[in-house]
Amino acid sequence: QIGSTGVATLGSNNLALTLSNAPPNRQALCFWGDAQAATPFWGGFYCVLSPVHRLTALQTSAAGSASLPVPIDASMVGTQRHYQWWFRDPPDPFHVGLSAGLTVDFCN
């Protein structure tokens, strides 16, 4: 499950993307694009339209969660980004899992 904490404003600059209910202690990464998609992909749906920008890879916690800060700069104000998590899931037939998508509007 994808979520967020903080707010997507330049003034606050405290946005973090969250992942929960993923397998524990597994590699995960978050990626984003400028537009939404709903393309079948590895047993799930790819919710981000190419071109896709990959963020830092990390490992989920023992509880299957993760959090990734998103630094906000002036060039992001007035834009919208669409985020999604990808993670390793060994029991899955494709050995990966995908979160739903999350749309974020960046403001001052």
Side-chain angles (χ1 to χ4, degrees):
Q1 183 175 0
I2 190 170
S4 65
T5 60
V7 291
T9 63
L10 181 61
S12 297
N13 199 13
N14 64 354
L15 178 67
L17 302 172
T18 60
L19 174 65
S20 59
N21 301 318
N25 305 312
R26 298 290 179 201
Q27 185 177 16
L29 64 89
C30 195
F31 53 91
W32 66 272
D34 293 322
Q36 294 177 345
T39 308
F41 184 77
W42 288 352
F45 284 92
Y46 201 59
C47 299
V48 177
L49 190 65
S50 293
V52 172
H53 307 274
R54 183 182 142 171
L55 301 174
T56 304
L58 45 81
Q59 186 169 329
T60 60
S61 70
S65 62
S67 181
L68 183 66
V70 177
I72 300 170
D73 64 46
S75 70
M76 296 164 72
V77 173
T79 66
Q80 185 177 73
R81 289 186 180 177
H82 307 277
Y83 292 93
Q84 186 173 18
W85 285 94
W86 171 98
F87 50 88
R88 298 263 184 217
D89 188 2
D92 183 85
F94 294 94
H95 306 289
V96 299
L98 294 164
S99 72
L102 177 72
T103 300
V104 176
D105 294 305
F106 292 93
C107 308
N108 273 326

